[in-house]
């Protein structure tokens, strides 16, 4: 006989999604026996004061799905036996961004690709013309994925000033130059093959640098891309430094794995994604009023992004504008309305208000549908965990779904009567510290991406590119004084020195370990390296390396603040655990 188990009414998830903690913490709830499993469901008033379990080498999540790479080897996020779900999602987004962000090796290899291009241009005789390779797009803004290509433009200036050479001002002259450049790149061993797309709106060369295997798109005199890069950089580093980058990277990965990230195939580019996220943050009523800390609600804002642009946004009428404090404009008044394609997304370019950034995103209907599906999948994953925590398993069969890359379900077995038997109940781990991943309901990292990153880092440590350019990469510890003038403990100095040696030489560490472990950014993006050793002064806590605040071309090393309830590292750069590293 079927038995119904009634739940208390859940608060609506459309009110800023801040109620996740309320969903999972009710002091008056009692244990519930779940007939489907015969197990006693855990209650939300189970002890919150039990000691946290030590991290384990988990291979499966609580629901039997593989642990995603950004949670590899870690226990469940959050603190206590019944952690706040909003906190768990926020932490997972942070973990994902840390994993997907470029390692120092990856970023340095890209910088060397640009330098190699510049050397070829410098050795090429162009009468009366000075050729300069410049990057724009996601490389310049640090909003790129490991699989992203390098967007590069060759500025052809007059020999003695920074004005574009009139010899290369026309479209035909640019097309001819692209063919000449393609031959030059192959002759100099930069690449094996070049594809010249001469008839595109912006003619480009698509190629792959031979040593690194990094794809490169090359345009000529396309300085508008550099202006848009500065806009993105300003928003991500100055206006929303603790929120924009994380949300943009998650959405970029979401679109990339669905082949919806290329504008020339109707997808949505990095610039458009950034402007949509900026608009969300600008127009969010609680952020505007100062009532919501975006950096502590990254997961909530990601869900709201999918809800807004997947279910709520009026594509037929509204145009997005991020100028000043942001606003919504009428598409018809902006002349961005297309009678034959009224459904197209319209985003005003803050660098050129007459330009519609997404006029080429003709696949927006499919993107909108995908955003809507992501909202549903994400919320289903949240409720599945919530019900499992209360009742021992999801009581709604619709929520008992696997990860997007899981194997398809097998056909039901048939009994002697020939009728299909009910499927067996999905095994759920009883370990309260088994990993929980909500992001894996919409995101995954494929083997090709992992392999590409491993190959790039391996190439870095082999020194192939360094040898080709005649350069070295040798970070070193240059100042081991604390801010009070005394020498720090030997364990801290040794930890930093050993970490730098590991980073420089590898010391037998695998490429994947380097990806998971090394987040030391010598170009100052603010990424963090955790040194896995105990330190004196903050016993048992890690040491962190991050970009410094005083712009003195050094990085600071500092310990974790025991008094910080959020477990964040020191924001006070004058703390006496400082060490300085040159980069």
């Amino acid at each position: 006989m079927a038995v119904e188990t009634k739940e208390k009414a859940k608060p609506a998830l459309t009110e800023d999604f801040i109620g996740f903690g309320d969903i999972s913490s009710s002091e008056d709830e009692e244990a519930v026996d779940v007939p489907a499993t015969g197990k006693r469901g855990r209650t939300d008033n189970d002890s919150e004061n039990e000691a946290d379990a030590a991290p384990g080498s988990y291979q499966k999540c609580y629901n039997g799905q593989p642990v995603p790479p950004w949670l590899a080897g870690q226990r469940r996020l959050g603190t206590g036996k019944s952690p706040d779900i909003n906190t768990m999602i926020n932490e997972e987004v942070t973990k994902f961004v840390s994993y997907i962000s470029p390692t120092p090796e990856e970023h340095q290899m890209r910088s060397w690709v640009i330098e190699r291009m510049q050397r070829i241009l410098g050795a090429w005789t162009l009468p009366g013309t000075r050729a300069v390779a410049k990057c724009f797009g996601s490389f310049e803004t640090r909003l790129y994925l490991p699989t992203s290509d390098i967007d590069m433009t060759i500025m052809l200036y007059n020999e003695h000033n920074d004005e574009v050479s009139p010899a290369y001002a026309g479209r035909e002259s640019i097309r001819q130059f692209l063919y000449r450049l393609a031959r030059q790149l192959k002759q100099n061993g930069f690449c094996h093959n070049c594809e010249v797309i001469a008839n595109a709106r912006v003619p480009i060369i698509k190629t792959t640098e031979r040593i690194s295997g990094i794809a490169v798109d090359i345009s000529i005199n396309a300085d508008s891309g550099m202006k848009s890069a500065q806009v993105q950089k300003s928003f991500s580093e100055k206006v929303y430094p603790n929120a924009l980058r994380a949300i943009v990277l998650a959405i970029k990965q979401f679109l990339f794995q669905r082949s919806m990230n290329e504008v020339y195939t109707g997808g949505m580019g990095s610039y458009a994604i950034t402007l949509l996220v900026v608009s969300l943050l600008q127009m969010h009523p609680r952020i505007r009023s100062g009532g919501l800390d975006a950096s502590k609600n990254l997961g909530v804002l990601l869900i709201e992004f999918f809800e807004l642009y997947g279910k709520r946004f009026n594509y037929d009428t509204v145009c997005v504008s991020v100028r000043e404090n942001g606003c919504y404009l009428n598409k018809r008044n902006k002349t961005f309305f297309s009678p034959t394609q009224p459904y197209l997304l319209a985003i005003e370019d803050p660098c050129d208000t007459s330009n519609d950034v997404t006029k080429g995103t003709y696949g927006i209907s499919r993107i909108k549908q995908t955003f809507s599906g992501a909202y549903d999948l994400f919320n289903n994953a949240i409720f599945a965990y919530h019900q499992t925590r209360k009742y021992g398993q999801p009581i709604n069969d619709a929520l008992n779904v696997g990860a997007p890359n899981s194997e398809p379900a097998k056909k039901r077995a048939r009994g002697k009567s020939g009728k299909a038997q009910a499927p067996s109940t999905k095994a759920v781990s009883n370990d309260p510290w088994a990993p929980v991943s909500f992001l894996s309901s919409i995101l995954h990292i494929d083997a090709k991406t992992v392999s590409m990153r491993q190959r790039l880092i391996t190439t870095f440590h082999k020194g192939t590119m360094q040898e080709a350019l005649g350069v070295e990469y040798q970070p070193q510890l240059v100042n081991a004084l604390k801010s009070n003038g005394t020498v720090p403990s030997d364990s801290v100095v040794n930890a930093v020195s050993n970490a730098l040696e590991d980073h420089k030489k590898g010391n037998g560490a695998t490429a994947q370990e380097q990806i998971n472990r090394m987040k030391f950014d010598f170009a100052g993006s603010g990424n963090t390296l955790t040194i896995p050793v105990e330190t004196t002064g903050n016993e048992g806590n890690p040491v962190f390396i991050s970009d410094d605040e005083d712009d003195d071309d050094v990085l600071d090393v500092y310990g974790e603040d025991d008094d910080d309830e959020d477990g964040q590292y020191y924001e006070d750069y004058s703390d006496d655990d400082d060490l300085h590293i040159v980069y």
Side-chain angles (χ1 to χ4, degrees):
M1 180 177 67
V3 179
E4 291 185 7
T5 305
K6 295 184 179 179
E7 291 186 73
K8 290 190 175 183
K10 301 180 180 65
L13 291 183
T14 54
E15 256 183 59
D16 296 331
F17 301 99
I18 307 301
F20 289 146
D22 298 333
I23 292 177
S24 59
S25 59
S26 176
E27 294 182 357
D28 59 355
E29 292 186 32
E30 297 180 353
V32 178
D33 290 327
V34 185
T37 62
K39 298 178 182 177
R40 179 186 182 276
R42 294 199 316 104
T43 65
D44 288 338
N45 60 351
D46 283 344
S47 174
E48 294 265 352
N49 299 320
E50 297 182 29
D52 285 358
S57 182
Y58 289 96
Q59 302 297 319
K60 299 286 186 181
C61 289
Y62 83 101
N63 57 358
Q65 295 301 313
V67 175
W70 55 88
L71 297 180
Q74 302 181 42
R75 65 164 174 78
R76 176 191 41 77
L77 301 176
T79 57
K81 290 294 184 180
S82 297
D84 177 68
I85 293 182
N86 178 43
T87 301
M88 292 174 66
I89 301 173
N90 195 72
E91 288 185 18
E92 185 177 4
V93 172
T94 302
K95 295 282 187 184
F96 171 79
V97 171
S98 178
Y99 174 83
I100 206 68
S101 294
T103 64
E105 294 96 333
E106 290 172 302
H107 192 76
Q108 185 60 60
M109 288 291 283
R110 288 171 180 264
S111 298
W112 282 334
V113 169
I114 300 167
E115 181 176 346
R116 192 170 182 215
M117 172 66 74
Q118 186 57 57
R119 291 190 183 188
I120 292 173
L121 294 174
W124 190 12
T125 302
L126 297 169
T129 303
R130 179 168 51 92
V132 180
K134 293 188 176 182
C135 273
F136 58 93
S138 57
F139 176 82
E140 180 65 21
T141 60
R142 290 295 186 96
L143 293 173
Y144 65 88
L145 299 174
T147 53
S148 297
D149 53 20
I150 297 177
D151 294 315
M152 186 184 304
T153 188
I154 308 300
M155 298 302 298
L156 300 173
Y157 297 122
N158 286 325
E159 189 172 7
H160 302 296
N161 58 47
D162 288 338
E163 295 182 1
V164 174
S165 172
Y168 300 100
R171 183 179 179 86
E172 184 59 32
S173 59
I174 289 177
R175 291 173 57 184
Q176 293 300 320
F177 181 82
L178 285 175
Y179 285 110
R180 292 170 57 196
L181 177 60
R183 288 194 295 270
Q184 195 73 13
L185 294 178
K186 287 188 285 187
Q187 289 172 4
N188 284 272
F190 181 88
C191 58
H192 293 297
N193 297 293
C194 286
E195 179 186 4
V196 179
I197 306 177
N199 295 322
R201 184 173 63 87
V202 178
I204 62 171
I205 292 175
K206 295 185 76 69
T207 189
T208 301
E209 198 276 329
R210 181 177 56 83
I211 297 175
S212 65
I214 296 173
V216 183
D217 287 355
I218 307 168
S219 58
I220 306 298
N221 294 335
D223 57 350
S224 61
M226 291 183 286
K227 295 177 183 177
S228 64
Q230 289 304 312
V231 169
Q232 295 179 78
K233 197 169 184 180
S234 176
F235 276 121
S236 65
E237 295 182 1
K238 297 178 181 179
V239 184
Y240 301 109
N242 300 316
L244 180 64
R245 184 171 183 271
I247 301 173
V248 168
L249 285 177
I251 296 166
K252 288 189 69 171
Q253 176 64 26
F254 174 82
L255 291 176
F256 164 74
Q257 67 192 40
R258 291 163 175 80
S259 301
M260 297 180 179
N261 62 319
E262 295 288 355
V263 177
Y264 69 89
T265 60
M268 186 177 293
S270 178
Y271 189 31
I273 294 171
T274 302
L275 295 180
L276 284 183
V277 176
V278 169
S279 179
L280 170 71
L281 299 175
Q282 288 177 330
M283 304 300 290
H284 197 294
R286 294 191 62 187
I287 294 178
R288 278 193 164 190
S289 66
L292 181 69
D293 185 346
S295 66
K296 294 181 179 180
N297 290 274
L298 298 175
V300 168
L301 291 169
L302 181 59
I303 294 174
E304 289 189 329
F305 177 93
F306 290 130
E307 181 192 24
L308 174 61
Y309 297 113
K311 295 179 178 291
R312 310 295 182 192
F313 192 78
N314 187 341
Y315 288 82
D316 290 356
T317 305
V318 178
C319 169
V320 171
S321 174
V322 300
R323 285 184 294 129
E324 298 179 357
N325 294 321
C327 63
Y328 291 139
L329 304 174
N330 189 299
K331 284 173 68 173
R332 295 177 185 273
N333 294 341
K334 286 293 298 181
T335 69
F336 290 168
F337 181 79
S338 171
T340 58
Q341 295 176 303
Y343 55 84
L344 291 181
L345 173 64
I347 304 177
E348 178 190 68
D349 188 345
C351 300
D352 178 6
T353 57
S354 65
N355 179 44
D356 180 2
V357 174
T358 50
K359 60 179 176 288
T361 306
Y362 57 82
I364 189 62
S365 295
R366 193 163 59 99
I367 294 174
K368 175 187 175 183
Q369 184 179 13
T370 308
F371 283 165
S372 176
Y375 171 79
D376 294 335
L377 288 171
F378 213 137
N379 277 289
N380 285 349
I382 292 169
F383 278 119
Y385 175 66
H386 168 59
Q387 292 182 351
T388 300
R389 192 162 68 181
K390 289 177 66 177
Y391 305 123
Q393 72 168 33
I395 60 175
N396 184 343
D397 288 340
L399 301 181
N400 201 1
V401 295
N405 58 343
S406 59
E407 295 181 2
K410 296 180 180 179
K411 293 183 178 180
R412 293 186 182 184
R414 295 185 177 273
K416 294 181 179 179
S417 64
K419 295 183 179 180
Q421 297 176 341
S424 59
T425 302
K426 186 177 180 65
V428 176
S429 173
N430 291 324
D431 182 356
W433 299 106
V436 178
S437 175
F438 303 111
L439 275 182
S440 60
S441 64
I442 61 170
L443 299 177
H444 72 275
I445 307 297
D446 59 19
K448 182 179 179 181
T449 298
V450 174
S451 176
M452 177 181 176
R453 299 188 79 177
Q454 290 176 340
R455 185 180 68 251
L456 193 63
I457 292 177
T458 300
T459 302
F460 174 91
H461 287 293
K462 285 181 178 179
T464 309
M465 183 70 86
Q466 295 92 312
E467 183 178 349
L469 293 174
V471 297
E472 294 184 353
Y473 184 75
Q474 295 186 338
Q476 57 183 326
L477 185 64
V478 295
N479 180 9
L481 292 179
K482 290 185 180 181
S483 55
N484 61 8
T486 62
V487 177
S489 63
D490 289 341
S491 62
V492 174
V493 176
N494 291 337
V496 176
S497 299
N498 291 338
L500 291 177
E501 284 300 311
D502 280 348
H503 190 74
K504 183 172 65 176
K505 298 179 180 178
N507 282 349
T510 66
Q512 185 59 54
E513 287 172 343
Q514 293 284 353
I515 289 176
N516 293 339
R517 174 169 161 243
M518 306 309 293
K519 296 293 179 186
F520 188 23
D521 191 341
F522 293 91
S525 77
N527 286 336
T528 303
L529 158 66
T530 302
I531 302 174
V533 296
E534 291 189 356
T535 64
T536 302
N538 289 294
E539 292 295 342
N541 289 322
V543 170
F544 296 93
I545 302 178
S546 187
D547 189 20
D548 70 332
E549 198 170 62
D550 45 16
D551 295 327
D552 57 0
D553 289 337
V554 298
L555 297 180
D556 292 326
V557 180
Y558 41 92
E560 186 175 23
D561 189 350
D562 288 327
D563 297 327
D564 187 346
E565 293 180 356
D566 294 326
Q568 302 295 319
Y569 43 80
Y570 287 130
E571 296 295 340
D572 179 8
Y573 288 83
S574 63
D575 185 88
D576 62 1
D577 284 329
D578 283 5
L579 295 172
H580 297 291
I581 312 298
V582 70
Y583 64 91

